Amino acid sequence: MPTDKKQIGRRFARAAATYDSQAHIQYRVADRLLDLVEESGCTRPQDVLEIGCCTGLLSRRLAARFPSIQTLYCNDLVDFSVTIREKLGGHALSPVFLPGDIETIDLPAHFDLIISSSTFHWLHDLPTLLAKLRNHLQPGGFLAFSMYGPENLREVREISGIGLEYPDLATVEDMLADHYRLLHSSQHLEEFFFPDPMAILQHLRQTGVNSVRSTRWSKGRLQRFIEAYRQRFSGDQGLSLTYHPMYLVARLC
């Protein structure tokens, strides 16, 4: 079943105040993605589109990493324009906010770099979006994104049955092949550890990642989740939660 984007927007909007303090994996993934962009030869982009800017975690890093940027277009389902401008207050760059669903909105320009971190796994039709973005890149322009793979949050999914259907890396590579020259693809697993299952659920809620279903849990279901998590995923460092980031950088053919 496709994700409910209105629900996703509401959950991320509610998590805005806590997102930056909890987005540990998102920080690491954004930094790694920017390293890969530079290593792939995109060093002086001028017109840039960021998809899924959220509270500006990647936006701020883009402005600091690439002083060549003249116009930064920031897109998100939620209107984070005030937050983004505050985050970029120390930079001369004035962002242009593009609110709405990237799969349906019109894009105003052609870009040297289109970039997205920790967003594309929420989309309904990634192949169609990749084809759309191709038409908004300058000749030789770069597309770079990180998203999450099939092992992401596997502990929660195994116990609760709730989770996204993530494509694997080879599938995403194939999606790119018709439109781009693939420069880089990689993936890895990262484990985080928490003292108890409630801390894990709070972490997910405070980053908006609990946006897959809106069904309320009964006390009994919550207790069964807590007991199963402790039994199955407890170790010397605490209770594990797995993330599966994937990184892809491509260039317009």
Side-chain angles (χ1 to χ4, degrees):
M1 179 181 296
T3 53
D4 182 342
K5 290 189 179 180
K6 289 184 179 180
Q7 178 177 293
I8 293 170
R10 289 192 297 268
R11 295 283 173 87
F12 276 97
R14 285 200 291 267
T18 55
Y19 184 87
D20 286 0
S21 65
Q22 289 290 325
H24 310 301
I25 183 65
Q26 289 86 350
Y27 279 109
R28 295 187 190 184
V29 169
D31 285 334
R32 177 59 180 155
L33 181 62
L34 288 176
D35 288 343
L36 294 171
V37 168
E38 285 193 299
E39 291 170 12
S40 297
C42 182
T43 57
R44 294 187 56 80
Q46 296 184 357
D47 295 313
V48 176
L49 169 64
E50 181 192 350
I51 299 170
C53 63
C54 197
T55 60
L57 182 154
L58 179 63
S59 314
R60 186 170 65 249
R61 285 163 166 73
L62 276 168
R65 185 77 69 103
F66 300 116
S68 59
I69 297 177
Q70 296 181 0
T71 307
L72 175 61
Y73 291 82
C74 296
N75 159 262
D76 203 277
L77 282 171
V78 181
D79 187 351
F80 286 115
S81 55
V82 173
T83 303
I84 296 294
R85 291 189 178 98
E86 289 175 352
K87 290 285 180 67
L88 297 180
H91 300 275
L93 188 62
S94 180
V96 177
F97 197 76
L98 299 176
D101 183 350
I102 192 62
E103 295 190 79
T104 59
I105 64 171
D106 293 329
L107 297 177
H110 289 75
F111 305 97
D112 304 307
L113 170 65
I114 297 176
I115 189 168
S116 179
S117 186
S118 301
T119 295
F120 278 10
H121 48 280
W122 293 110
L123 301 177
H124 290 174
D125 190 346
L126 181 55
T128 297
L129 178 68
L130 295 176
K132 172 183 176 179
L133 296 179
R134 182 187 190 282
N135 296 325
H136 291 277
L137 279 172
Q138 298 281 10
F142 291 82
L143 172 66
F145 59 95
S146 61
M147 59 187 296
Y148 296 97
E151 293 299 306
N152 203 55
L153 307 179
R154 64 178 180 83
E155 297 91 344
V156 174
R157 187 171 62 253
E158 288 179 18
I159 294 173
S160 69
I162 298 173
L164 295 176
E165 293 185 10
Y166 300 94
D168 60 27
L169 185 62
T171 299
V172 182
E173 291 174 346
D174 288 342
M175 293 177 189
L176 286 165
D178 291 338
H179 307 287
Y180 304 89
R181 178 164 59 93
L182 185 63
L183 303 177
H184 175 90
S185 66
S186 63
Q187 60 184 333
H188 66 275
L189 300 181
E190 289 206 37
E191 281 190 322
F192 289 79
F193 296 92
F194 296 82
D196 56 69
M198 290 304 297
I200 291 171
L201 293 177
Q202 183 181 40
H203 163 73
L204 296 175
R205 178 177 59 81
Q206 290 181 342
T207 54
V209 179
N210 62 332
S211 301
V212 179
R213 292 186 189 172
S214 58
T215 305
R216 290 184 176 274
W217 286 19
S218 65
K219 289 183 179 180
R221 185 180 183 186
L222 178 60
Q223 188 58 40
R224 290 192 295 273
F225 175 86
I226 290 171
E227 291 174 358
Y229 212 114
R230 284 177 172 153
Q231 290 174 1
R232 296 172 62 177
F233 300 111
S234 180
D236 293 340
Q237 299 181 69
L239 300 180
S240 65
L241 182 66
T242 301
Y243 284 94
H244 181 184
M246 305 190 302
Y247 305 87
L248 297 105
V249 183
R251 197 166 191 178
L252 190 61
C253 296

